[in-house]
Amino acid sequence: MAETTIDTHDTVEGEGGGEVRRRDFLEIAAVSAAGVGGLAVLYPLISQMAPSKDVLAESTTEVDVSAIEPGQAIKAVFRKQPVFVRNLTPAEIEAANAVPTGSLRDPQSLAERTKEGYENWLITMGVCTHLGCVPLGAGEGENKGEFGGYFCPCHGSHYDTAARIRKGPAPLNLEVPEYEFTSDTTVQIG
Amino acid sequence: MSFPWAKQYEPKLPLMKFLDEKLPLPRFVYNAVGAGYPVPRNLNYFWNFGVLAGFCLVIQIVTGVILAMHYAPNALVAFDSTEHIMRDVNWGWMLRYGHANGASFFFVVVYVHIFRGLFFSSYKAPREMIWLLGVVIFLLMMATAFMGYVLPWGQMSFWGAKVITGLFGAIPLVGEPLQIWLLGGYAPDNAALNRFFSLHFLLPFVILGVVILHIWALHIPGSSNPTGVEVKSESDTVPFHPYYTAKDGFGLGVFLVIYTLFVFFMPNSLGHPDNYIPANPLSTPAHIVPEWYFWPFYAILRAFTQDFLFIPAKLMGVIAMFASILVWFFLPWLDRSPVRSGLYRPVFRKFFYALLVAMAVLFWCGGAPAEEPYVMLSQIAAMYYFAHFLIILPLVSSFETPKPLPGSITEAVLGDKTGGHDAVPLATTNDAPASA
Amino acid sequence: MARLISIIVGLGFVVVLLYTFAVGAYTAATEKAEVTAEHEFHLTPRDAHLQSAGWTGTFDYQQVQRGYQVYKEVCSACHSLRHVAIRNLGELGYSEAEVKAEASSWMVPGIDPNTGESTLIEGSPTDYFPSPYPNAVAAAAANNNAVPPDLSLITKARHDGGNYVYSLLTGYADPETYTHDGKSLKEEFPDFTTPTGLNFNPYFPNLNLAMAAPLSDGQVTYADGTEASLDQMAKDVAAFLVWTAEPTLQKRHATGFPVVLFLIFASVLAFLAYRNVWRNVKH
């Protein structure tokens, strides 16, 4: 009874070889179409996890800096992450400028990290570039680390008064977000 | 189990040999839906719907798990989070419409699957267990679908939850406390929404488990077939793969065309506009109806409008509604005809068509407002529904003369009286009309 | 035995239903069903011929922009649009700067950064359209106890929503003189009244609507110079509300066509493959 149950594709009947190939082609084409369809479905299933439109929508944060005395800092929120806004004292600016940039892990001068005319305003993300903890040093009385800037307690990264990485595992300086002074006392971040 | 002539799995690659020794999953699949499962050669297109139902379950689980990543089961934000999915989540509208219409299509497919079973008496020995498990799946599906419809927290969600839990309130003595316990409050609110979400997530996996049992039970006697004559020899069967995988692939394609037409071009046609109004506990929609797939049972519920002796109408309606499905559990023992297939049962067949008409009437009335003539029509249809299963089916075999059965599936297919082992079909290319 | 029980139970259901049916039939025969004005005079919506209708529907963004203008200048006095963000206007063809300018023309609830008190601040594109009332109680109090519904989903929350909005806005009539199909409302239902504070509109399910006719010819001055007739404004705002209810409609249709065509192609292939596999087996 093998004739009925065994798939005798290529041998049965005296048809030409071309015919046989056409038939195999049909099955390959059908399976391929199913494969293409299956792969196409994966695209929306994967991209649905990417940020949705409301998250992507350009968001900005306005910060009033008029109440920040030299030597003080505040934490603002930008894209659900902390931003440090720090009013540097002349001594802190001097300390930052005294470091030869060539000796740094992530060479950048203070001037490159601030806006012209507002060199005393150091605005950085409050996100350690190592693994994303929030460094200490913005709040009153917090540990500012060995270099007087910020200290990340998670894995011991020390940042200086220009928020540059000086010691510890972090690879980069604290990130400076895009911002602009819309007036002398107002910063728009983002 | 299998038929003695079933092909045996023979791993060729070393990896497959290794796997076969340590964890014979490929062998399991081979015997379940591969070349190792001999299936009657004469199945018509109605036999596609089992595989389609399984595919619907997969669609629902995949889209459902993804929707749960974006949905928030809290009465304050559930409606808004649903709109967030529709507007902001990448492809969220497609996933939600796919899930909502997927539920409808799951029921379409399962209804065809059930009524195929009723016509060809697929519930009869030796396949009682398959049928019983199938009814369990259907009940679980109804519970899952009901709770899923509550989640968007629109007007129909809210009032559906209130009315359906109100059914339990009809039970004497314990009814009211039971309803309050089910809802975790006096009306549907956060507690109810949260537990419905939890169960709506859990139950599909329970369904999946019962589906596996359903298929396992199927593989013990093997698939039924349109003649109702059991498989007798190898010539009666073909291996599931490639024969039925190819046929199911085609069926799946047609199914997906119709399904995507709904998802992309009329995604709200099977839903109710009122569910785009946020839930309002102080205002009931003018015309409150469940989703279409519950309409026949809703019509039976509403058909009981009069107290009868000591039984209140409300209780009677609830009993009848549950009984209308529970009666299916007893079919294997109610239908005594030795002949399975409706094709060979002239009297049964007429009653079966009448049942289809009654179901159609119940569908129609269940979605209509609770006024005449719909109530009276649903009463007549419900009468026939119960009479069909409880009175006609047990009696019909005693006065019915079945048509002569073919000696074997092969004989039925070839129209050849010799049948059996000598029936070698001639191989021709275009001799394969669908027997549907 | 099982069959005997089954037949008894079955007869039980049939008897109860017969009794119920008989009572219902007797009631139906003896009591004449009341024909109501709502039943006789409620109309299904007229066709607004919106470009978004049908399987190939797309948005006429120029029209949707006009509809937005009508919403902003008229509807927004009473109706919120809470699911739509101001940034969404960018999809209508407004530039980023225009969206920002539009956003700053709306006052949205916010917090005074100095005192922490609730206040109204200038909107930004990420804000959602503000509600005209702080809460439902205020909305009810200001509108004779009828809360104006949120409009973001209104065209999906009503049967044939786009046409419904159009028909409702243009459908106000005087119940004293209203006729339809040659039948006069007052002659057929002399008792029919429109209570004070409500307004007759045959497209509203119970014919009496709390909202007074909101639009009249020339009420807005369209930026694109289109003549602002009542009919035009009603169509435009209907088009706008179809968009707010389903901004993804156009993308849905655009995705659907290739998907369905591909599946038809794949099904044909699957059918040929199926016939090919079965070619040697009669079945």
Side-chain angles (χ1 to χ4, degrees):
Chain A
M1 282 324 302
E3 290 88 336
T4 56
T5 54
I6 293 172
D7 190 14
T8 50
H9 269 127
D10 305 322
T11 49
V12 157
E13 307 157 59
E15 289 168 350
E19 179 74 356
V20 170
R21 242 176 273 127
R22 189 183 71 84
R23 293 181 149 159
D24 287 345
F25 171 75
L26 269 178
E27 280 160 47
I28 293 165
V31 171
S32 309
V36 169
L39 284 176
V41 167
L42 283 183
Y43 174 69
L45 298 190
I46 291 168
S47 69
Q48 52 85 17
M49 297 232 294
S52 54
K53 276 190 207 145
D54 53 332
V55 175
L56 287 178
E58 193 55 50
S59 62
T60 55
T61 302
E62 281 206 347
V63 184
D64 180 2
V65 298
S66 59
I68 309 171
E69 299 293 328
Q72 283 189 335
I74 61 157
K75 274 188 218 177
V77 180
F78 171 59
R79 286 188 181 157
K80 311 270 173 188
Q81 298 188 92
V83 176
F84 295 155
V85 181
R86 186 162 180 165
N87 191 348
L88 298 174
T89 61
E92 286 172 328
I93 296 175
E94 206 176 305
N97 287 334
V99 184
T101 42
S103 69
L104 295 171
R105 185 179 299 168
D106 182 9
Q108 263 186 326
S109 67
L110 179 63
E112 288 173 67
R113 295 169 61 72
T114 52
K115 299 277 181 202
E116 207 180 330
Y118 299 96
E119 280 86 358
N120 60 320
W121 290 106
L122 177 67
I123 298 174
T124 61
M125 299 302 295
V127 180
C128 181
T129 55
H130 180 219
L131 292 169
C133 296
V134 179
L136 299 173
E140 205 65 46
E142 284 181 0
N143 184 356
K144 293 187 173 187
E146 288 176 24
F147 301 88
Y150 300 105
F151 168 67
C152 181
C154 290
H155 307 96
S157 291
H158 298 257
Y159 297 89
D160 67 10
T161 52
R164 295 173 299 198
I165 182 65
R166 296 293 288 276
K167 186 180 169 190
L172 296 170
N173 304 332
L174 289 187
E175 187 196 340
V176 178
E178 261 182 44
Y179 68 90
E180 59 175 342
F181 278 86
T182 49
S183 74
D184 274 357
T185 56
T186 318
V187 186
Q188 183 175 309
I189 301 169
Chain B
M1 95 89 225
S2 192
F3 297 109
W5 56 87
K7 286 197 202 174
Q8 290 303 308
Y9 178 64
E10 282 161 22
K12 292 189 186 71
L13 296 171
L15 173 69
M16 298 312 259
K17 281 183 182 148
F18 173 83
L19 213 53
D20 197 41
E21 281 171 27
K22 313 297 174 194
L23 180 71
L25 200 59
R27 176 181 293 274
F28 181 79
V29 172
Y30 183 91
N31 289 334
V33 291
Y37 178 43
V39 185
R41 61 194 286 181
N42 60 336
L43 302 189
N44 60 35
Y45 280 110
F46 284 109
W47 266 259
N48 278 47
F49 285 80
V51 164
L52 288 182
F55 192 81
C56 286
L57 181 60
V58 173
I59 293 181
Q60 291 306 86
I61 288 180
V62 169
T63 53
V65 167
I66 287 174
L67 287 172
M69 295 180 191
H70 302 282
Y71 168 79
N74 180 302
L76 290 175
V77 293
F79 190 88
D80 292 0
S81 73
T82 309
E83 277 307 307
H84 163 70
I85 292 170
M86 293 297 290
R87 290 159 194 269
D88 290 331
V89 173
N90 301 304
W91 298 99
W93 57 271
M94 190 173 92
L95 294 162
R96 173 160 180 261
Y97 280 153
H99 194 70
N101 287 288
S104 282
F105 274 77
F106 199 173
F107 274 95
V108 170
V109 165
V110 163
Y111 274 122
V112 175
H113 193 57
I114 290 172
F115 279 84
R116 186 271 287 162
L118 288 174
F119 183 76
F120 294 101
S121 304
S122 300
Y123 46 78
K124 279 185 189 160
R127 296 185 181 80
E128 304 96 317
M129 187 51 80
I130 312 171
W131 174 260
L132 298 183
L133 290 166
V135 180
V136 170
I137 292 170
F138 184 65
L139 288 171
L140 286 169
M141 276 177 64
M142 293 179 91
T144 309
F146 157 66
M147 287 188 276
Y149 195 55
V150 173
L151 300 185
W153 210 238
Q155 272 289 66
M156 281 297 171
S157 300
F158 180 91
W159 291 98
K162 189 150 191 176
V163 168
I164 299 299
T165 53
L167 296 180
F168 293 92
I171 301 169
L173 300 176
V174 296
E176 205 173 318
L178 182 64
Q179 184 186 359
I180 291 172
W181 175 77
L182 280 171
L183 289 172
Y186 302 99
D189 200 359
N190 220 18
L193 180 60
N194 257 299
R195 67 190 59 177
F196 283 3
F197 176 64
S198 172
L199 292 172
H200 182 71
F201 203 113
L202 168 72
L203 285 184
F205 296 97
V206 177
I207 292 176
L208 183 65
V210 184
V211 164
I212 290 171
L213 297 182
H214 186 67
I215 298 171
W216 184 5
L218 169 72
H219 281 67
I220 291 169
S223 302
S224 65
N225 71 85
T227 64
V229 176
E230 287 294 321
V231 166
K232 288 176 179 151
S233 68
E234 188 175 3
S235 73
D236 289 345
T237 66
V238 290
F240 191 88
H241 180 74
Y243 290 94
Y244 284 107
T245 42
K247 191 170 181 179
D248 285 331
F250 168 56
L252 187 60
V254 174
F255 167 82
L256 284 176
V257 168
I258 302 168
Y259 168 66
T260 48
L261 279 177
F262 272 81
V263 170
F264 288 101
F265 298 104
M266 35 190 172
N268 293 309
S269 58
L270 298 171
H272 198 290
D274 277 7
N275 224 27
Y276 282 108
I277 303 170
N280 179 358
L282 302 182
S283 156
T284 311
H287 175 202
I288 165 167
V289 283
E291 287 280 81
W292 70 267
Y293 36 79
F294 292 138
W295 285 353
F297 307 104
Y298 193 58
I300 289 176
L301 172 79
R302 291 196 305 191
F304 293 82
T305 50
Q306 298 294 329
D307 293 352
F308 185 77
L309 303 178
F310 55 92
I311 315 169
K314 180 181 174 186
L315 177 62
M316 198 62 213
V318 173
I319 291 173
M321 187 182 76
F322 284 110
S324 65
I325 300 169
L326 295 182
V327 66
W328 291 352
F329 276 115
F330 300 97
L331 284 187
W333 298 279
L334 294 181
D335 180 0
R336 290 294 187 77
S337 170
V339 177
R340 290 197 187 86
S341 169
L343 294 174
Y344 300 93
R345 299 184 62 189
V347 182
F348 163 83
R349 197 160 61 198
K350 290 193 183 76
F351 284 117
F352 179 83
Y353 294 146
L355 177 69
L356 290 186
V357 172
M359 278 304 281
V361 171
L362 288 172
F363 259 113
W364 183 49
C365 294
E371 55 193 45
E372 301 302 353
Y374 306 112
V375 176
M376 279 156 77
L377 275 174
S378 59
Q379 283 162 347
I380 297 170
M383 241 183 280
Y384 182 76
Y385 182 94
F386 285 109
H388 177 89
F389 287 114
L390 292 169
I391 302 172
I392 296 169
L393 217 50
L395 292 180
V396 74
S397 58
S398 41
F399 56 82
E400 178 181 55
T401 317
K403 289 200 260 177
L405 288 173
S408 71
I409 293 170
T410 308
E411 184 191 309
V413 170
L414 301 179
D416 173 359
K417 288 291 170 200
T418 56
H421 289 275
D422 299 315
V424 180
L426 288 170
T428 51
T429 37
N430 293 318
D431 64 349
S435 46
Chain C
M1 186 61 194
R3 285 201 284 178
L4 188 66
I5 297 171
S6 150
I7 289 166
I8 290 169
V9 172
L11 283 173
F13 278 115
V14 169
V15 165
V16 175
L17 278 165
L18 266 178
Y19 167 74
T20 313
F21 177 79
V23 173
Y26 178 76
T27 315
T30 50
E31 287 172 26
K32 225 176 118 200
E34 206 177 320
V35 182
T36 59
E38 291 95 80
H39 188 263
E40 290 289 296
F41 282 88
H42 179 225
L43 304 180
T44 51
R46 285 184 297 138
D47 194 348
H49 300 287
L50 297 179
Q51 195 183 305
S52 55
W55 286 18
T56 54
T58 52
F59 290 121
D60 174 352
Y61 285 118
Q62 195 65 36
Q63 183 180 34
V64 177
Q65 284 193 6
R66 289 198 300 271
Y68 167 63
Q69 193 183 341
V70 176
Y71 168 75
K72 187 182 176 186
E73 291 178 22
V74 184
C75 320
S76 70
C78 301
H79 292 279
S80 57
L81 199 63
R82 56 192 295 265
H83 293 292
V84 185
I86 301 173
R87 64 183 156 81
N88 294 137
L89 292 177
E91 298 162 30
L92 301 186
Y94 290 108
S95 71
E96 202 174 314
E98 284 171 320
V99 171
K100 271 196 176 155
E102 200 54 54
S104 59
S105 71
W106 292 88
M107 296 302 282
V108 301
I111 289 170
D112 185 313
N114 299 315
T115 63
E117 279 177 20
S118 298
T119 179
L120 290 178
I121 58 171
E122 221 172 72
S124 81
T126 48
D127 286 313
Y128 284 72
F129 281 103
S131 166
Y133 304 104
N135 52 55
V137 178
N143 290 284
N144 202 10
N145 264 335
V147 180
D150 182 82
L151 292 185
S152 3
L153 283 164
I154 201 80
T155 56
K156 273 159 88 176
R158 300 287 183 273
H159 278 293
D160 198 8
N163 293 335
Y164 170 80
V165 168
Y166 164 71
S167 305
L168 193 77
L169 290 175
T170 54
Y172 287 90
D174 182 356
E176 298 300 323
T177 57
Y178 183 73
T179 56
H180 179 69
D181 271 354
K183 283 191 289 186
S184 158
L185 174 66
K186 270 292 151 185
E187 279 171 26
E188 302 271 324
F189 299 95
D191 294 341
F192 180 86
T193 54
T194 297
T196 323
L198 298 186
N199 304 276
F200 177 75
N201 191 322
Y203 294 98
F204 193 68
N206 71 9
L207 308 183
N208 290 321
L209 171 62
M211 176 170 74
L215 296 173
S216 53
D217 285 334
Q219 191 159 357
V220 302
T221 308
Y222 279 131
D224 66 0
T226 307
E227 195 198 330
S229 65
L230 167 61
D231 194 72
Q232 184 67 44
M233 287 185 292
K235 264 182 195 156
D236 293 348
V237 84
F240 173 67
L241 292 175
V242 169
W243 173 76
T244 62
E246 183 136 2
T248 52
L249 177 142
Q250 192 164 319
K251 188 181 183 190
R252 172 156 64 76
H253 290 166
T255 315
F257 273 102
V259 167
V260 171
L261 288 179
F262 170 79
L263 284 169
I264 291 173
F265 166 73
S267 301
V268 170
L269 273 185
F271 179 71
L272 294 174
Y274 153 58
R275 292 291 296 265
N276 184 31
V277 167
W278 280 82
R279 71 183 182 279
N280 295 330
V281 181
K282 197 172 170 187
H283 61 290

